[in-house]
Amino acid sequence: MGTTKDPNLRGSLEEESSHHGDILQFNTEDSAETVPEKVLAGMQWASSNLTHDWIYSSVDDDMVVHVENLVEYLNTLLVPEDTNVNIRPCYEQLPIVCVYSYQAKDSPNRIPFSKWYVSYGKMSGSYWPKHCRGGMYLMSVEMAGRIFHISRKTPYLYLDDVWITGYMRRKLNEGDCNIMVRLRKLFNKKFLSKVV
């Protein structure tokens, strides 16, 4: 998470961190505009501190993940049932998996004053690259590190999902084989739900 100017919240965060040691904080104020930076800070930390047999995931704050089902899904996805290794990749070869929503052909919002408005000057094409839209996506720690490094030389776009899982993923020059929709036959409907 980012920083806060609220002294009460800051005190609560320090208490939580000292008691549980479960907070990663980067030195930018937390806001909707800084979400891409926050996600990339998490990718940087994960790729610097975790081994390549870990999975990195990004989950929106209005989602609830059933952890046991996630582990079962990942084990099914990563452990081949047959000898064709192209069907189910190992950790390092795991593409970005769009668990919540895969966007194969999504158009930029051209409505002025919309929260998601993007001008033609910022993006002139008719469609975004294939990407994961919000909710949840996951990838190998190795992929997270590669995306973090390429972000240092990729023009900023405040739409974090499009920027990270679309533009930067595409800059890895692997075509679209490094992104996939979740495999529905392996996916338990109780795995992920949106908080109402």
Side-chain angles (χ1 to χ4, degrees), residues 98 101-103 106 128-133 161-162 165-166 179:
C98 302
S101 179
Y102 173 79
Q103 299 299 309
D106 197 14
W128 296 120
K130 292 178 183 179
H131 65 279
C132 304
R133 183 188 292 160
D161 300 328
V162 175
T165 68
I179 189 170

Side-chain angles (χ1 to χ4, degrees), residues 63-76:
M63 303 300 288
V64 176
V65 177
H66 189 292
V67 177
E68 285 182 23
N69 288 352
L70 173 61
V71 171
E72 182 181 336
Y73 173 72
L74 284 170
N75 284 336
T76 307

Side-chain angles (χ1 to χ4, degrees), residues 2 87 138:
I87 294 175
L138 51 88

Side-chain angles (χ1 to χ4, degrees), residues 39-195:
V39 173
L40 288 171
M43 289 179 159
Q44 179 186 24
W45 183 89
S47 64
S48 299
N49 292 281
L50 303 174
T51 59
H52 285 202
D53 57 350
W54 283 73
I55 301 294
Y56 170 88
S57 65
S58 177
V59 183
D60 284 0
D61 62 359
D62 61 350
M63 303 300 288
V64 176
V65 177
H66 189 292
V67 177
E68 285 182 23
N69 288 352
L70 173 61
V71 171
E72 182 181 336
Y73 173 72
L74 284 170
N75 284 336
T76 307
L77 185 67
L78 292 167
V79 177
E81 292 176 354
D82 57 36
T83 56
N84 186 350
V85 294
N86 294 323
I87 294 175
R88 292 191 177 86
C90 66
Y91 288 100
E92 292 84 0
Q93 297 168 334
L94 182 71
I96 297 173
V97 181
C98 302
V99 177
Y100 180 70
S101 179
Y102 173 79
Q103 299 299 309
K105 197 170 185 181
D106 197 14
S107 301
N109 185 318
R110 302 300 189 190
I111 303 169
F113 309 111
S114 166
K115 178 180 176 181
W116 297 279
Y117 170 72
V118 177
S119 70
Y120 282 97
K122 189 77 173 165
M123 195 284 187
S124 59
S126 299
Y127 300 102
W128 296 120
K130 292 178 183 179
H131 65 279
C132 304
R133 183 188 292 160
M136 180 181 189
Y137 57 85
L138 51 88
M139 66 186 75
S140 68
V141 165
E142 188 268 342
M143 171 79 82
R146 290 169 59 212
I147 287 178
F148 170 75
H149 288 297
I150 212 155
S151 73
R152 308 295 89 192
K153 33 188 177 178
T154 305
Y156 183 79
L157 180 67
Y158 76 96
L159 300 171
D160 59 296
D161 300 328
V162 175
W163 189 47
I164 292 168
T165 68
Y167 282 109
M168 286 190 273
R169 174 197 56 79
R170 188 190 277 171
K171 282 185 167 272
L172 297 175
N173 294 320
E174 298 169 356
D176 288 327
C177 67
N178 58 9
I179 189 170
M180 66 180 273
V181 65
R182 69 177 187 261
L183 300 178
R184 294 185 193 283
K185 67 180 182 175
L186 302 179
F187 191 78
N188 185 330
K189 289 184 181 181
K190 295 179 183 178
F191 162 69
L192 185 71
S193 58
K194 191 166 179 79
V195 177

Side-chain angles (χ1 to χ4, degrees), residues 3-10 29:
T3 59
T4 178
K5 292 178 181 172
D6 181 334
N8 294 326
L9 183 54
R10 192 167 43 245
E29 191 167 349

Side-chain angles (χ1 to χ4, degrees), residues 31-45:
S31 70
E33 292 77 27
T34 61
V35 168
E37 296 169 59
K38 184 166 43 173
V39 173
L40 288 171
M43 289 179 159
Q44 179 186 24
W45 183 89

